[in-house]
Amino acid sequence: MKPVQQLWPPEFAERYRQAGYWKDETIGEMLRARAMETPHQLAVVAGDNRWTYRELDAHADAIAAGLLAIGLKAGERAILHLPNQAEFLSVAFGMFRAGIIPVFALPAHRETEIVHFAEASEAVAYVAPVRHEGFDFRSLANELVRQQPQVRNVIMVDGPDDVHTAERPDFITLDQLKSLGSDHTPPAPTSASSVAFLQLSGGSTGLSKLIPRTHDDYLYSVRRSAEICRLNTSTVYLGALPVAHNFPMSSPGWLGVVYAGGTVVLSPSPAPAHVFPLIERERVNITAVVPPVALVWLEAAPNTTHDLSSLDVLQVGGAKLPLEVARRIQPVLGTHLQQVFGMAEGLVNYTRLDDPDHVVVSTQGRPMCADDEVRIVDDFDNPVPDGTAGHLQTRGPYTIRAYHNAPEANERAFTSDGFYRTGDIVVRRSDGYLVVEGRATDQINRGGEKISPDEVEDHLLAHPQV
């Protein structure tokens, strides 16, 4: 098995450590710190589950021990293919703590994608629900194991209506996994400079590439995002989008909320019928959506009987938000708009919460780090002046230098001096704010139609912006 590597040149790594961006902390250690500081604080709300930080930490420990007990080793990869449920967080943190590298798949992925992820990552394990939205994942797991025999462990997460998991003795339930680890030696500490997980690239053609993110670089992005978004222990964040995606994971997402000691509320769908009752019941004060979902909420809000007054910040990213839609957010929903533009490969831009309204509605924000290097170039990589549309290139303390095991893609996607070619066409204003004009290869044109949860996932897959 090839090791997963994500290396910055030594001089850059040293600069980022000296600047305090990389703090030698792992994601598993971050959860442990919250559990020690605020053990009784509500961490996760999902369906009937309401877990405190102590409980989430204990679930993660049990899963980490179970993964090691069944023979997984630090550095091996496991596909995590769960919808928005509490177990997504406990399994993810369990993998982080054991040094197992999760490959984050979206619920809408099926056989073609999952087999590709397993082959590209050399995954040895697969975690999935028994059923989700009418689909039986056991058949997918059977086919995965047949086509990728290195996948030696399958863990199925039972739902409330599942009497038992399975027809195969080599498939185990999550509860069985946790019981197997009860007498297992705790995992050895993971290095913060090691790869924490593999995320999926966007793009409208072909299968996703794998993006290696380290504990150091990703936690910097999480900490800085939480600071910009002013998260704290009173934060109640609604995960309305698929939480395996970069946007609701780290910008600031559920990881940012855990860093701040707030509460993560998970919705099975971004549809108003699901999210509006949750906003009222849990007093949600921040959430993130893509533009088509924002438009659906704008159409539904005037007729809802649910109290949405707790919602203070609505983040919109994933594609450019049309100006006319942006202008409606505050008057209709009564919440502050924050535009977010970035990519799973790294760079994240935010409008700030104290920016003037005209900046918030008309730009997609500015980089969050002083060491985010951004250049706008023409078709021949020549810099263009501010105010001129061009190709966005970037490098920095949380922007990758290469995809995993993809030499041909790396040749195209990265410059000789380490800048990532994002594929976005943007205009940089004189104040550093970016205005997204579109993609170099595919234009986003969804109009105002309503979209289903699966279409949201398809939209996120097709466009790499957070």
Side-chain angles (χ1 to χ4, degrees):
M1 175 180 288
K2 296 178 181 178
V4 180
Q5 295 182 330
Q6 168 54 278
L7 299 176
W8 282 258
E11 64 274 19
F12 283 85
E14 180 60 24
R15 183 206 303 175
Y16 299 150
R17 289 191 178 92
Q18 289 295 323
Y21 304 140
W22 297 357
K23 293 183 177 292
D24 196 31
E25 180 185 32
T26 68
I27 299 173
E29 289 169 342
M30 183 261 287
L31 172 61
R32 180 83 80 213
R34 296 297 87 74
M36 294 178 67
E37 292 166 2
T38 56
H40 304 297
Q41 167 79 4
L42 186 61
V44 184
V45 175
D48 294 331
N49 292 307
R50 301 181 73 85
W51 294 346
T52 65
Y53 275 94
R54 174 180 288 172
E55 291 168 330
L56 175 59
D57 190 59
H59 286 303
D61 264 351
I63 290 167
L67 291 169
L68 298 175
I70 62 175
L72 271 69
K73 298 177 177 62
E76 290 189 311
R77 277 75 87 182
I79 297 173
L80 180 53
H81 194 192
L82 292 176
N84 288 12
Q85 60 187 101
E87 290 83 1
F88 180 98
L89 270 66
S90 62
V91 174
F93 278 115
M95 289 183 181
F96 295 145
R97 192 158 284 166
I100 309 302
I101 298 175
V103 182
F104 288 117
L106 295 175
H109 285 135
R110 292 295 180 261
E111 179 185 318
T112 298
E113 294 89 357
I114 298 301
V115 170
H116 165 68
F117 302 152
E119 181 177 16
S121 69
E122 299 177 277
V124 299
Y126 176 63
V127 183
V130 175
R131 298 178 187 83
H132 177 62
E133 294 188 346
F135 182 78
D136 191 328
F137 284 78
R138 290 172 294 186
S139 60
L140 192 159
N142 278 320
E143 189 60 26
L144 172 63
V145 171
R146 187 187 71 80
Q147 294 190 44
Q148 297 291 318
Q150 85 280 359
V151 180
R152 61 182 188 265
N153 297 108
V154 173
I155 299 119
M156 307 300 293
V157 180
D158 286 329
D161 299 323
D162 296 317
V163 178
H164 58 82
T165 294
E167 63 251 356
R168 288 183 56 143
D170 52 341
F171 289 9
I172 64 172
T173 68
L174 187 61
D175 286 340
Q176 289 171 331
L177 177 78
K178 291 162 74 173
S179 67
L180 289 172
S182 58
D183 297 323
H184 199 272
T185 303
T190 301
S191 168
S193 62
S194 65
V195 170
F197 58 87
L198 291 169
Q199 221 162 30
L200 309 179
S201 71
S204 58
T205 59
L207 294 167
S208 295
K209 299 175 287 295
L210 301 180
I211 301 168
R213 301 298 299 262
T214 67
H215 295 270
D216 270 333
D217 87 78
Y218 208 68
L219 276 183
Y220 168 69
S221 179
V222 167
R223 289 192 303 267
R224 180 62 178 139
S225 293
E227 179 183 16
I228 288 172
C229 299
R230 301 177 185 173
L231 305 191
N232 54 44
T233 56
S234 298
T235 296
V236 182
Y237 177 88
L238 176 66
L241 300 175
V243 292
H245 193 272
N246 188 58
F247 186 10
M249 185 183 297
S250 69
S251 300
W254 54 270
L255 277 174
V257 176
V258 170
Y259 169 75
T263 302
V264 179
V265 178
L266 299 180
S267 173
S269 161
H274 287 97
V275 297
F276 285 3
L278 283 174
I279 291 172
E280 178 180 47
R281 188 185 77 198
E282 304 299 335
R283 305 307 292 162
V284 168
N285 47 36
I286 180 171
T287 190
V289 299
V290 292
V293 173
L295 192 56
V296 171
W297 288 15
L298 286 170
E299 297 303 316
N303 300 313
T304 188
T305 59
H306 294 287
D307 179 9
L308 308 181
S309 62
S310 64
L311 187 61
D312 186 52
V313 177
L314 179 67
Q315 297 182 301
V316 182
K320 185 174 181 179
L321 182 64
L323 182 62
E324 62 274 16
V325 178
R327 286 173 171 160
R328 294 176 58 196
I329 298 291
Q330 199 285 326
V332 175
L333 295 176
T335 185
H336 296 94
L337 168 65
Q338 182 176 50
Q339 296 216 43
V340 188
F341 163 61
M343 57 281 311
E345 288 83 353
L347 177 71
V348 184
N349 304 270
Y350 293 96
T351 57
R352 301 324 198 240
L353 296 179
D354 55 0
D355 279 341
D357 288 346
H358 68 88
V359 172
V360 172
V361 300
S362 64
T363 80
Q364 281 65 62
R366 57 183 169 89
M368 65 179 181
C369 177
D371 276 319
D372 279 326
E373 299 177 69
V374 170
R375 63 189 186 194
I376 318 299
V377 301
D378 63 19
D379 292 343
F380 304 98
D381 281 352
N382 300 309
V384 301
D386 287 349
T388 303
H391 302 270
L392 172 63
Q393 299 179 358
T394 184
R395 69 182 183 187
Y398 60 99
T399 296
I400 66 168
R401 291 296 186 112
Y403 292 111
H404 171 61
N405 197 22
E408 292 183 2
N410 289 336
E411 187 69 23
R412 296 189 302 270
F414 298 89
T415 66
S416 59
D417 54 351
F419 277 77
Y420 169 57
R421 304 178 190 272
T422 69
D424 296 296
I425 304 297
V426 306
V427 173
R428 178 169 52 192
R429 306 188 336 170
S430 60
D431 57 7
Y433 282 75
L434 301 180
V435 178
V436 177
E437 298 294 330
R439 294 283 294 166
T441 56
D442 59 285
Q443 296 297 319
I444 300 167
N445 182 18
R446 290 303 304 269
E449 78 275 23
K450 295 183 178 181
I451 61 173
S452 69
D454 281 350
E455 287 179 302
V456 171
E457 291 170 4
D458 290 342
H459 179 84
L460 290 170
L461 285 169
H463 303 292
Q465 299 99 324
V466 299

